[in-house]
Amino acid sequence: MKKRLEEAENFYGSIRKVRHEMKNHMANIKGLAGAGQYGEIQDYVRRMDETMQELEYKYVTGNPVTDVIINDKYRRAEKAGIRFEADFQYGGEIPVFDLGIILNNLLDNAIEACEKLETGRGFIRLTLKRKKQFLLLEVENSFDGTVPVQTGGGFTPHTTKQDTLPEIVTEHGIGLENVRDVAERYFGGVNIKVRGDVFRVTVMLQQKGR
């Protein structure tokens, strides 16, 4: 929660800075226009546009919390050279706090799995579907060396490389257990499938009030 609040604060802090600087930008453009330096104006506007694009959300989900989470993961993936796709519209069926737990854990795990691959090989796909009274949240990602095993009534990841990254293995296990706990509170569950080098987690949740 602290991390999410910091991210939101940084984002809106950036917006405030841009709004503050806008008067200066307009004065500079007027000065360039008055001097007939139209080529310079084009370059100036292009740089302003690049700055504004950094502040825009690529994914608009219908809720400010899920907007922050998903766009933060998208930016993190993009910086790491990981392809990221999301088809996600939040309709308020599940409290956003619980949905945030699921998104943060699954997307963090997916990004960490992709970061172990060569640059350009990683991909993440996030989807949210509705089927009768259920929500189906799915995260699919490329991976290398990690397969799921069932222990203690829940799924935890097992890896053939435990000697090199045991702390990450443990962290992923706790994250998946937290996701399973949330799913069970909504009379749902977690399904994990591996096909080739693709790891897919599907979380089923019963919609509120159904």
Side-chain angles (χ1 to χ4, degrees):
M1 285 180 66
K2 182 175 183 291
K3 185 178 179 182
R4 297 280 77 75
L5 289 170
E6 288 174 350
E7 287 161 355
E9 186 178 67
N10 290 337
F11 179 81
Y12 289 111
S14 298
I15 291 177
R16 286 195 298 270
K17 288 179 183 178
V18 170
R19 289 175 63 183
H20 178 75
E21 291 297 325
M22 194 57 65
K23 289 182 180 180
N24 292 332
H25 289 316
M26 294 305 297
N28 291 339
I29 290 172
K30 287 178 181 178
L32 291 170
Q37 297 180 9
Y38 301 111
E40 292 291 330
I41 291 175
Q42 263 190 327
D43 184 58
Y44 197 95
V45 171
R46 178 186 58 78
R47 283 183 282 136
M48 285 180 61
D49 186 54
E50 289 174 355
T51 300
M52 294 302 294
Q53 286 181 10
E54 290 179 2
L55 298 175
E56 291 180 356
Y57 279 155
K58 179 178 175 65
Y59 298 104
V60 179
T61 67
N63 181 274
V65 176
T66 49
D67 279 355
V68 169
I69 294 172
I70 293 173
N71 283 280
D72 171 61
K73 305 307 180 188
Y74 159 70
R75 292 190 186 101
R76 180 180 161 192
E78 187 180 44
K79 287 180 182 178
I82 302 166
R83 299 192 308 277
F84 187 103
E85 301 173 8
D87 182 3
F88 190 102
Q89 285 296 315
Y90 176 71
E93 301 94 337
I94 299 295
V96 71
F97 179 85
D98 290 332
L99 199 60
I101 291 173
I102 296 171
L103 286 170
N104 275 307
N105 281 294
L106 294 188
L107 291 176
D108 279 345
N109 286 356
I111 291 171
E112 288 174 10
C114 290
E115 285 175 337
K116 299 175 188 176
L117 303 175
E118 294 177 6
T119 302
R121 285 188 56 202
F123 75 86
I124 298 170
R125 281 192 286 267
L126 165 68
T127 58
L128 181 66
K129 302 174 183 177
R130 291 160 178 84
K131 189 173 183 180
K132 294 184 179 179
Q133 75 269 33
F134 290 99
L135 290 181
L136 299 175
L137 189 155
E138 184 176 283
V139 174
E140 192 175 58
N141 62 273
S142 50
F143 78 107
D144 181 20
T146 303
V147 294
V149 294
Q150 191 169 9
T151 58
F155 286 101
T156 56
H158 172 72
T159 178
T160 58
K161 302 178 180 179
Q162 289 187 15
D163 56 328
T164 57
L165 293 171
E167 70 282 354
I168 291 178
V169 173
T170 302
E171 184 176 326
H172 283 195
I174 293 171
L176 287 174
E177 286 299 316
N178 288 341
V179 170
R180 185 175 63 85
D181 289 344
V182 173
E184 289 180 349
R185 290 207 301 272
Y186 293 92
F187 308 102
V190 177
N191 179 264
I192 300 175
K193 289 184 179 179
V194 175
R195 183 172 295 176
D197 59 355
V198 177
F199 187 89
R200 184 173 67 197
V201 182
T202 303
V203 182
M204 183 174 68
L205 306 163
Q206 186 164 277
Q207 299 181 40
K208 185 176 63 176
R210 299 298 182 93

